[in-house]
Amino acid sequence: MTTVALHHPGHAFDGRRVLTATTELVDSYRHSGQTVEQDIARIFVAGGRWTRIGPDVHTTGLGNYELRLRSSAEGWHADTFGAGWGEHEELGTVPPEHRHAVAVYIDARDRLTPDRWPHTTDLHERNRDGGISAAHALITHHLGLLDDQLRTIDALQTSIPETERRKPWAARLLTTECRHVAELQGRLATTLLEFHLGTTGLSPNLDRFVPGFDLPGGFIPLEYPRPARNPETNEI
């Protein structure tokens, strides 16, 4: 991501000025009727909804993306965070003491996520330009991204105490992230098969049962844990 200086860096939060923002964040305001500087002033200066997560400050709105102020030696840097901390959002149940570790994971996951995953047409185009090895290299590259994603998931789970991992918020988060990787692995496998063998009929995506990932930091199942029943009433 590229960084630009804000036109009006006079807004201060917690005694420090907001000096820069990512180009992507600034561009997202072009057709909104306001500027990123105005939104920062509305949320962080005028008393909007935000929370501290590690050294940074995040909004807690309704949606899958949050506005964030990242701490630096000179002041604050504004960017977006690829998940939501609101009560009903993706990360709404993460306890405050674990939010920084989860935020580090989400940033790493986003860096390892391409704009789009390859389709069969992409492999045929690579094959025409560079031969079969070029087509295979495209799949290998994206499989490598997924392998790196699994490493970041493992780093996240090892940062959470083992007793805490069994709690619903952690178990569901880790399983959701592993299920997403397993789904993408299956999609890449299907793309490679279609490239070599073609497709016939409906050609639905293969729904393969994968019980879980046995990572260095511990096993993460791909099935969500079932709620415990009360042994006296047999109710969940």
Side-chain angles (χ1 to χ4, degrees):
M1 289 186 178
T2 55
T3 298
V4 296
L6 295 178
H7 294 300
H8 304 288
H11 299 306
F13 174 81
D14 209 19
R16 303 165 67 194
R17 291 185 176 185
V18 184
L19 300 175
T20 59
T22 60
T23 302
E24 292 78 5
L25 175 60
V26 174
D27 289 345
S28 69
Y29 281 83
R30 291 197 184 281
H31 304 291
S32 67
Q34 64 179 344
T35 65
V36 63
E37 293 95 335
Q38 290 171 330
D39 212 20
I40 288 172
R42 177 181 64 83
I43 297 172
F44 296 108
V45 180
R49 297 178 60 187
W50 52 266
T51 185
R52 295 183 186 276
I53 297 178
D56 305 327
V57 185
H58 296 232
T59 57
T60 54
L62 300 176
N64 293 327
Y65 284 86
E66 302 286 2
L67 180 62
R68 172 172 59 181
L69 299 182
R70 307 200 74 171
S71 179
S72 69
E74 295 78 20
W76 296 103
H77 169 70
D79 68 358
T80 55
F81 178 72
W85 299 104
E87 182 180 356
H88 302 292
E89 301 306 324
E90 179 183 358
L91 305 179
T93 59
V94 177
E97 63 269 26
H98 296 293
R99 287 187 170 186
H100 180 56
V102 172
V104 170
Y105 164 73
I106 295 295
D107 283 335
R109 181 192 69 182
D110 289 350
R111 287 194 298 270
L112 294 168
T113 301
D115 291 335
R116 73 181 185 90
W117 295 89
H119 301 291
T120 307
T121 52
D122 299 314
L123 297 186
H124 285 298
E125 182 178 340
R126 286 291 188 98
N127 186 38
R128 285 193 301 269
D129 295 340
I132 195 72
S133 61
H136 286 173
L138 182 62
I139 291 293
T140 301
H141 169 70
H142 286 83
L143 286 174
L145 291 177
L146 292 177
D147 186 59
D148 287 340
Q149 285 193 22
L150 285 175
R151 295 178 193 278
T152 64
I153 295 171
D154 193 41
L156 172 61
Q157 79 161 339
T158 55
S159 74
I160 302 171
E162 193 167 347
T163 54
E164 190 76 11
R165 294 180 208 170
R166 293 194 287 268
K167 295 184 178 180
W169 76 266
R172 186 167 188 86
L173 174 61
L174 293 170
T175 293
T176 295
E177 296 305 306
C178 281
R179 284 171 71 108
H180 182 62
V181 171
E183 177 187 341
L184 290 169
Q185 287 175 333
R187 188 184 302 176
L188 289 176
T190 299
T191 298
L192 187 61
L193 285 173
E194 289 179 350
F195 168 68
H196 283 289
L197 304 177
T199 60
T200 59
L202 294 176
S203 187
N205 287 329
L206 183 62
D207 184 10
R208 301 186 302 171
F209 174 72
V210 181
F213 288 110
D214 192 10
L215 299 171
F219 180 82
I220 300 177
L222 294 183
E223 291 296 320
Y224 294 118
R226 296 183 178 182
R229 289 184 178 274
N230 186 318
E232 297 180 358
T233 64
N234 199 34
E235 294 180 348
I236 296 175

